[in-house]
């Protein structure tokens, strides 16, 4: 059992951006009040990886060349921009030198294209390497942490372990079961518990014979650079060039990022005979259109409004129809915002149940229509396509079948519904298909929270149902992507992979955690 003499006041499970953004706000509030003594809270942070405060996207598990999906102005929450831009310029020599030394030809190309834009503060067109934001957020939390401890405003405990289970004690506290790197077990107790574990765990797609194929279930585990090296080794050890094929399952943001990274590694992409992506859409995210339109017509939504009689299904169908011209020549962000804004206005007449269903289910359906990425990502994937390295399958993955030379792909063709076998043998398979529902999660903690009924899934299946205080249960708080699919007075997002949105929500959660 726990060796604690007293329970922690607040415990965070996970130390990525959701936790870090919240603690930054919480520390700032403590420093503004400077009330030490009896009000000094004890805060515990549990992280299963050795690297605290950055999470997967902004730390060492990602690639130094990975970029933000949106431009800097959209990526950084408005209230945080002055501090970030000031730090960015003050530390430019450090991050620029580091990037030149570690980013290879991709970094050289990015610096050549973007340094002139940075000099002009043209933040609408710059997509920064994510490690730079990781440096900023780490620097910010470290500085505040030192100030908090110097002034004895809080006691901070960092634990390197994986939280695998939780239960409510007799006095309504939370007991968390921890598994340490050496597989030993310990327990901690906390009055308030914050689940900030990041995105739901990637779902495995199939069982594979490791002797026949290099299978990577999650490109970020243990890290992108190590996994790319595994792919390189698998291809190098394959004698027949015709069999040096790589299969990517899924065509989401991770997929286009991977293509961008591979394009900048000729020592790897030069080994690839063919790189095949399979997904139901059969296409990568759109590039972001810079076209300025005089108007953003929404005729289908307008027709519903004029009719005055509609339900959720007809509203969603109308929104989907009006999104088509908004993505005709790339994703026009302003046009998309008009369509979604008009959709939400019309939804006001449908009531709370319809709103909850929209945010839990239909919002992601519409969002998948306009998945987008910056110009560098699109250019990288296009470079591979131009040299006929990339093929796309519009299909649903069924299984991988083992052959002596590797594996072959069985899939269902979307257009016909027929099962087919793709006519290539693959030596490496990378799963970018996304996460499973929480009740099937490979995370022991998330699985146990659902099945022990400590927290309930919302309609999306990918997030927990919470109230406007972030609570999935009394004193059990959710922060980060697992908030996606909620609709209440404060939290109304169908997905929360966006750092800006998390920075927006962080002060509200900090207030809740500091309440008695």
């Amino acid at each position: 059992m726990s060796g604690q003499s007293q329970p922690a006041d607040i415990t965070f499970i996970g130390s990525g951006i959701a936790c870090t953004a919240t603690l930054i706000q919480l520390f700032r509030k403590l420093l503004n009040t400077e009330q030490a003594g009896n009000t000094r809270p004890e805060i515990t942070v549990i992280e299963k990886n050795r690297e605290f405060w950055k999470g997967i996207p902004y730390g060492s598990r990602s690639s130094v060349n990975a970029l933000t999906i949106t431009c800097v102005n959209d990526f950084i929450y408005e209230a945080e921009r002055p501090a970030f831009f000031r730090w960015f310029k003050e530390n430019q020599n450090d991050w620029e030198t580091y990037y030149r030394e570690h980013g290879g030809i991709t970094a050289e190309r990015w610096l050549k294209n973007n340094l002139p834009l940075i000099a002009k503060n043209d933040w609408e067109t710059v997509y920064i390497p994510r490690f730079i934001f990781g440096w900023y957020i780490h620097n910010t939390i470290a500085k505040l942490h030192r100030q908090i401890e110097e002034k004895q405003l809080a006691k901070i405990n960092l634990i390197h372990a994986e939280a695998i289970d939780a239960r409510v004690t007799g006095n309504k506290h939370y007991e968390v079961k921890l598994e340490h790197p050496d597989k030993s077990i310990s327990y901690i107790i906390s009055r308030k518990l914050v689940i900030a574990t990041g995105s739901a765990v990637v779902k495995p797609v199939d069982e594979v014979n490791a002797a026949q194929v290099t299978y990577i279930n999650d490109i970020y585990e243990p890290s992108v650079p190590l996994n790319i090296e595994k792919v390189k080794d698998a291809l190098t050890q394959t004698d027949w060039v015709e069999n040096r094929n790589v299969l990517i399952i899924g065509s989401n943001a991770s997929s286009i990022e991977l293509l961008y990274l591979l394009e900048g590694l000729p020592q790897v992409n030069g080994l690839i005979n063919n790189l095949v992506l399979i997904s139901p859409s059969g296409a990568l995210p759109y590039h972001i259109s810079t076209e300025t339109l005089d108007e953003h017509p929404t005729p289908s939504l307008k027709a519903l409004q004029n009719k005055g009689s509609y339900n959720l299904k007809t509203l969603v169908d109308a929104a989907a129809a009006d999104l088509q011209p908004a993505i005709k020549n790339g994703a026009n962000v302003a046009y998309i915002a008009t369509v979604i804004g008009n959709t939400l206005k019309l939804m006001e007449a449908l009531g709370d149940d319809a709103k909850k269903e929209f945010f839990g289910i239909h919002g992601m359906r519409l969002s998948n229509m306009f998945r987008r990425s910056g110009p560098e990502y699109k250019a990288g994937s296009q470079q591979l396509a131009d040299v006929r390295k990339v093929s796309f399958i519009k299909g649903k993955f069924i299984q991988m079948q083992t052959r002596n030379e590797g594996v072959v792909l069985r899939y269902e063709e979307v257009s016909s519904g027929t099962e087919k076998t793709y006519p290539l043998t693959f030596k490496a398979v990378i799963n970018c298909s996304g996460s499973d529902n929480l009740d099937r999660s490979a995370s022991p903690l998330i699985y146990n929270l659902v099945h022990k009924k400590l927290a309930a899934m919302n309609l999306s299946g990918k997030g927990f149902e919470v109230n406007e205080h972030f609570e999935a249960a009394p004193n059990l708080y959710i922060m980060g992507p697992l908030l996606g699919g909620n609709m209440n007075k404060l939290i109304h997002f169908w997905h929360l992979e966006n750092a800006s949105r998390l920075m927006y929500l962080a002060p509200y959660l900090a207030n809740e955690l500091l309440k008695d």
Side-chain angles (χ1 to χ4, degrees):
M1 300 299 289
S2 170
Q4 293 171 278
S5 57
Q6 294 290 331
D9 293 292
I10 305 165
T11 294
F12 287 84
I13 299 178
S15 74
I17 180 62
C19 166
T20 307
T22 305
L23 278 178
I24 285 172
Q25 296 299 324
L26 193 151
F27 288 169
R28 286 172 176 168
K29 291 177 187 298
L30 290 174
L31 287 165
N32 285 338
T33 57
E34 292 204 18
Q35 293 175 341
N38 293 333
T39 62
R40 183 187 184 199
E42 181 171 336
I43 301 169
T44 297
V45 181
I46 301 164
E47 172 57 59
K48 69 177 181 179
N49 291 284
R50 291 189 177 277
E51 187 175 44
F52 280 75
W53 311 129
K54 296 179 182 178
I56 291 175
Y58 315 108
S60 60
R61 283 173 284 174
S62 189
S63 166
V64 70
N65 286 311
L67 306 178
T68 56
I69 290 293
T70 58
C71 70
V72 183
N73 246 19
D74 292 337
F75 178 75
I76 304 294
Y77 180 52
E78 185 176 4
E80 195 72 21
R81 285 177 201 160
F84 174 77
F85 289 139
R86 183 171 56 253
W87 177 93
F88 186 86
K89 290 295 185 74
E90 289 173 352
N91 293 274
Q92 182 168 343
N93 185 62
D94 291 341
W95 63 254
E96 186 179 330
T97 300
Y98 178 87
Y99 194 30
R100 287 189 190 279
E101 292 175 353
H102 295 87
I105 62 173
T106 301
E108 289 298 329
R109 186 167 52 204
W110 187 90
L111 290 166
K112 179 182 178 181
N113 293 336
N114 287 278
L115 286 181
L117 300 174
I118 290 169
K120 296 186 296 183
N121 296 323
D122 188 359
W123 305 118
E124 294 288 346
T125 54
V126 175
Y127 298 69
I128 62 169
R130 293 199 303 258
F131 83 89
I132 298 175
F133 180 71
W135 281 18
Y136 167 74
I137 206 80
H138 185 275
N139 175 275
T140 303
I141 190 77
K143 183 178 179 180
L144 291 168
H145 187 176
R146 287 193 299 271
Q147 294 173 350
I148 287 290
E149 294 205 323
E150 287 169 1
K151 297 185 177 184
Q152 297 186 344
L153 297 175
K155 180 180 179 183
I156 317 298
N157 304 309
L158 306 183
I159 300 176
H160 176 210
E162 180 178 7
I164 58 175
D165 202 358
R167 73 177 186 91
V168 181
T169 66
N171 54 1
K172 305 301 182 183
H173 294 161
Y174 287 93
E175 181 186 72
V176 182
K177 183 178 181 181
L178 306 178
E179 182 178 83
H180 296 266
D182 63 1
K183 300 302 180 183
S184 63
I185 299 295
S186 68
Y187 298 82
I188 67 159
I189 295 177
S190 185
R191 293 187 176 91
K192 296 184 176 184
L193 183 62
V194 184
I195 309 299
T197 52
S199 300
V201 177
V202 174
K203 61 180 176 184
V205 294
D206 202 2
E207 293 184 3
V208 294
N209 186 336
Q212 298 299 326
V213 66
T214 295
Y215 173 66
I216 297 167
N217 187 63
D218 184 346
I219 191 65
Y220 297 104
E221 291 293 342
S223 73
V224 171
L226 287 176
N227 282 324
I228 289 178
E229 195 63 28
K230 288 179 184 177
V231 172
K232 178 185 174 184
D233 290 344
L235 299 176
T236 302
Q237 295 165 17
T238 303
D239 294 330
W240 290 94
V241 174
E242 293 81 0
N243 287 340
R244 292 178 182 171
N245 303 309
V246 178
L247 174 66
I248 298 178
I249 303 169
S251 60
N252 54 20
S254 296
S255 304
I256 196 169
E257 178 171 293
L258 180 57
L259 293 185
Y260 172 74
L261 299 176
L262 290 173
E263 191 276 328
L265 295 169
Q267 68 272 30
V268 180
N269 69 55
L271 294 169
I272 298 173
N273 176 50
N274 207 322
L275 199 158
V276 177
L277 284 86
I278 178 171
S279 72
S281 70
L284 290 168
Y286 292 98
H287 71 278
I288 295 177
S289 171
T290 57
E291 182 182 12
T292 301
L293 301 174
D294 293 332
E295 56 183 12
H296 304 143
T298 57
S300 299
L301 291 170
K302 188 68 174 177
L304 282 188
Q305 184 179 19
N306 291 337
K307 183 180 178 182
S309 175
Y310 53 90
N311 56 34
L312 183 58
K313 182 183 183 306
T314 56
L315 177 59
V316 171
D317 289 345
D322 285 342
L323 280 170
Q324 292 298 330
I327 57 177
K328 183 178 180 181
N329 298 310
N332 189 299
V333 176
Y335 198 160
I336 291 167
T338 299
V339 175
I340 297 301
N342 289 348
T343 302
L344 295 178
K345 287 178 184 176
L346 290 175
M347 194 175 301
E348 288 298 321
L350 297 181
D352 289 344
D353 288 344
K355 293 176 187 176
K356 183 168 287 192
E357 183 179 337
F358 179 84
F359 280 89
I361 300 173
H362 303 290
M364 275 307 300
R365 173 194 160 192
L366 296 177
S367 187
N368 286 336
M369 291 181 62
F370 53 83
R371 296 173 306 150
R372 57 196 188 271
S373 65
E376 284 101 345
Y377 274 18
K378 202 63 181 179
S381 61
Q382 189 60 50
Q383 290 266 9
L384 292 177
D386 288 345
V387 295
R388 299 184 179 180
K389 288 281 186 180
V390 181
S391 304
F392 295 92
I393 305 173
K394 190 172 184 178
K396 298 178 181 178
F397 175 89
I398 296 176
Q399 65 175 163
M400 292 175 280
Q401 295 179 338
T402 303
R403 299 288 187 269
N404 290 334
E405 307 84 8
V407 297
V408 295
L409 167 68
R410 289 286 295 168
Y411 69 98
E412 178 187 318
E413 189 177 60
V414 169
S415 60
S416 66
T418 58
E419 290 191 12
K420 293 190 173 184
T421 300
Y422 196 76
L424 281 180
T425 300
F426 298 98
K427 290 301 294 184
V429 177
I430 303 170
N431 178 20
C432 296
S433 63
S435 61
D436 214 338
N437 281 5
L438 300 188
D439 58 347
R440 298 191 295 270
S441 177
S443 161
L445 175 68
I446 300 303
Y447 183 90
N448 286 330
L449 287 175
V450 174
H451 289 275
K452 292 184 176 181
K453 302 187 186 307
L454 268 71
M457 294 188 300
N458 58 37
L459 291 175
S460 73
K462 310 289 185 181
F464 287 112
E465 185 76 20
V466 300
N467 60 24
E468 62 268 30
H469 306 292
F470 297 83
E471 289 178 308
N475 290 326
L476 175 61
Y477 301 86
I478 309 295
M479 182 54 164
L482 296 180
L483 281 175
N486 276 286
M487 201 292 298
N488 57 50
K489 292 179 181 178
L490 175 66
I491 303 161
H492 33 76
F493 302 102
W494 49 81
H495 69 93
L496 264 165
E497 305 284 347
N498 186 308
S500 178
R501 290 176 180 173
L502 296 178
M503 287 187 276
Y504 157 73
L505 289 172
Y508 295 99
L509 177 55
N511 284 337
E512 296 293 340
L513 296 176
L514 289 174
K515 290 178 181 178
D516 292 334

